[in-house]
Amino acid sequence: MALVAPVQAKAPVRAPATTKTVLVMGDSLSAGYGIAVSQGWVSLLGQRLKATSPRWSVVNASVSGETTAGGLSRLPAALARAKPGVVVIELGANDGLRGLPVRDMQANLDRMVKLSKASGAKVLVIGMRMPPNLGRAYTEGFANAYTTVAKSNGATLLPFFLEPIMLDRGAFQRDNLHPTAAVQPRLLDHVWRPLAPMLR
């Protein structure tokens, strides 16, 4: 995921006191890499919340190129600013593409979930998958890390973010890594299924 192309992080904007907040901590897949920010699934989530759950708003603290270590380092400040009711963690792809140890990624995700829950938020962990060329041991360990973290912490798990579009080459930009603007609604629908019950 050119997920490794860094951009300057933007401080999460604190939501109005009259709303509850969904805080999204992600990488370029959630930051809207290669498309207009307004077209990304997180922005579309904000529109859906406004229409269906007006007491909720979304804060997108996603950064292109982010790893789980980077997300963990930014999380305490993001939690303090946004005071979220729900935290969505969509990280790990850059760890995998860089071949970073799965145990470190898992430990970072585990710490993020624990910090989020300690702040009083519910947590949705969004998993990713790695290509088979990285080897079976790595790819299976990578996928299992998300399951382990979610199960051990009582968090909600969406096993694979790109599942609805993975087999559709036309759903990706020229880099064959980042989804196009056209399929962002499908990704939102995919996330919405586990997320919606958490907003009740």
Side-chain angles (χ1 to χ4, degrees), residues 23 79 85-89 109 112-126 149-150 153-158 194-195 198:
L23 173 65
L79 291 172
V86 173
V87 176
V88 177
I89 302 173
L109 290 172
M112 290 186 74
V113 174
K114 283 181 166 60
L115 286 173
S116 299
K117 290 179 71 70
S119 77
K122 300 176 183 178
V123 182
L124 171 60
V125 177
I126 296 181
V149 168
N153 289 286
T156 301
L157 174 68
L158 180 65
L195 178 60
M198 302 173 70

Side-chain angles (χ1 to χ4, degrees), residues 5-6 19 25 31 41 46 54 71 76 83 90 92 95-96 101 117 132 136 153-154 181 197:
T19 66
M25 299 290 296
W41 77 267
K83 301 187 183 306
E90 179 276 301
D95 297 64
K117 290 179 71 70
R136 182 175 179 180
N153 289 286

